[in-house]
Amino acid sequence: QVQLVESGGGLVQPGGSLRLSCAASGRDFSLNIMGWYRQGPGKQRERVALITRSGLTNYADSVKGRFTISRDNSKNAVYLQMNSLKLEDTAAYYCNQVPPTNSWGQGTQVTISS
């Protein structure tokens, strides 16, 4: 199984940027489609982005044009560059494969506040 550790969250003002990192451990990391998920207050967890092994990407409409997902298979890492952040981006962010397994990391909190 893949173990996941998210980092890079914090408090940022609207319009700001943040870069999240996901460190993965597991033999078969490179075989997986990886994604970033988030869960905001009073909302269900949603997938905001995914990336295939070869680098093909897909984004939720809510973040399209603002977020960029990337991966470095040699480092077993996945990243999420978040630009033009909005208040509604406030959430706990998680990485996992797509579709996700039941093994979630601790996540990293992103708070957008003026």
Side-chain angles (χ1 to χ4, degrees):
Q1 61 181 335
V2 177
Q3 299 178 38
L4 306 162
V5 179
E6 301 91 348
S7 63
L11 193 154
V12 66
Q13 294 181 336
S17 297
L18 214 54
R19 182 176 174 85
L20 307 184
S21 297
C22 171
S25 63
R27 176 66 179 173
D28 300 322
F29 170 82
S30 64
L31 300 177
N32 299 324
I33 301 173
M34 296 297 297
W36 281 97
Y37 302 76
R38 70 183 182 187
Q39 186 166 23
K43 301 178 181 179
Q44 289 197 322
R45 180 143 46 200
E46 64 172 337
R47 185 179 68 245
V48 298
L50 67 80
I51 184 167
T52 69
R53 187 198 315 159
S54 60
L56 298 177
T57 60
N58 186 67
Y59 300 92
D61 289 340
S62 58
V63 308
K64 194 170 299 182
R66 300 188 297 118
F67 291 10
T68 303
I69 187 172
S70 60
R71 69 191 294 168
D72 186 339
N73 291 332
S74 69
K75 293 182 170 62
N76 284 3
V78 187
Y79 309 96
L80 186 68
Q81 178 67 47
M82 305 184 294
N83 299 326
S84 302
L85 285 162
K86 305 175 179 179
L87 293 177
E88 50 264 43
D89 294 320
T90 294
Y93 284 73
Y94 304 84
C95 60
N96 208 327
Q97 61 183 267
V98 180
T101 71
N102 290 133
S103 296
W104 296 87
Q106 291 298 120
T108 186
Q109 179 66 39
V110 172
T111 301
I112 315 303
S113 177
S114 59

